[in-house]
Amino acid sequence: MTTSGERCPEPTLGEDPFALVFFDRAGHFAAQFMKRDRATTVRTAAGGSNNTRAVDGYDAYFGTYSIDEERGVVTTTLLGSLAREHVGAVLTRAMRVDGDTLTITLDTTSIGGQPVTRTLTWLRVG
């Protein structure tokens, strides 16, 4: 979403990527995202500020996390990443849990440098 409220699809992963995120009780997490139709992907796109970079319509990373419930944020430290420049990155995201739904939002920039807010919605599967 742009600052004026317009939808701004993430061009390297599309509007509705296949995705999986995992958080365990010991403080480890992993995330994977894949564009549904990879026939029309951008081979390698630069990630926006405060965001990782997809490669050929795919992004993946893992590491450790901590939650600040008072502020409603999750902070992740990337121990491994498809894009090697993100290894060691520390990313902080707004996080909300409502029943079996996890919503994560992050302020970043579009490929053109325009400020956008990305919203990721996850449903518990197990």
Side-chain angles (χ1 to χ4, degrees):
M1 192 79 49
T2 65
T3 54
S4 62
E6 298 173 58
R7 289 182 61 82
C8 181
E10 207 291 333
T12 60
L13 296 172
E15 287 199 54
D16 188 27
F18 286 119
L20 175 69
V21 66
F22 170 85
F23 291 92
D24 74 11
R25 290 186 174 124
H28 302 95
F29 87 100
Q32 298 185 51
F33 306 83
M34 185 182 81
K35 185 175 183 176
R36 288 183 186 267
D37 178 9
R38 293 176 73 197
T40 59
T41 60
V42 177
R43 293 295 289 171
T44 301
S49 63
N50 190 37
N51 204 1
T52 58
R53 176 172 61 87
V55 176
D56 195 21
Y58 192 85
D59 195 5
Y61 44 87
F62 65 90
T64 60
Y65 76 95
S66 63
I67 295 174
D68 182 333
E69 290 186 37
E70 283 186 28
R71 291 179 38 223
V73 298
V74 59
T75 300
T76 58
T77 301
L78 306 188
L79 301 178
S81 175
L82 180 64
R84 67 179 145 236
E85 70 270 17
H86 290 111
V87 174
V90 177
L91 304 172
T92 300
R93 313 282 195 232
M95 181 178 100
R96 186 178 73 249
V97 177
D98 183 21
D100 288 339
T101 302
L102 168 64
T103 303
I104 296 175
T105 57
L106 61 132
D107 293 324
T108 185
T109 53
S110 67
I111 289 178
Q114 180 181 20
V116 294
T117 298
R118 299 281 181 225
T119 301
L120 311 170
T121 304
W122 308 91
L123 300 175
R124 183 186 311 262
V125 295

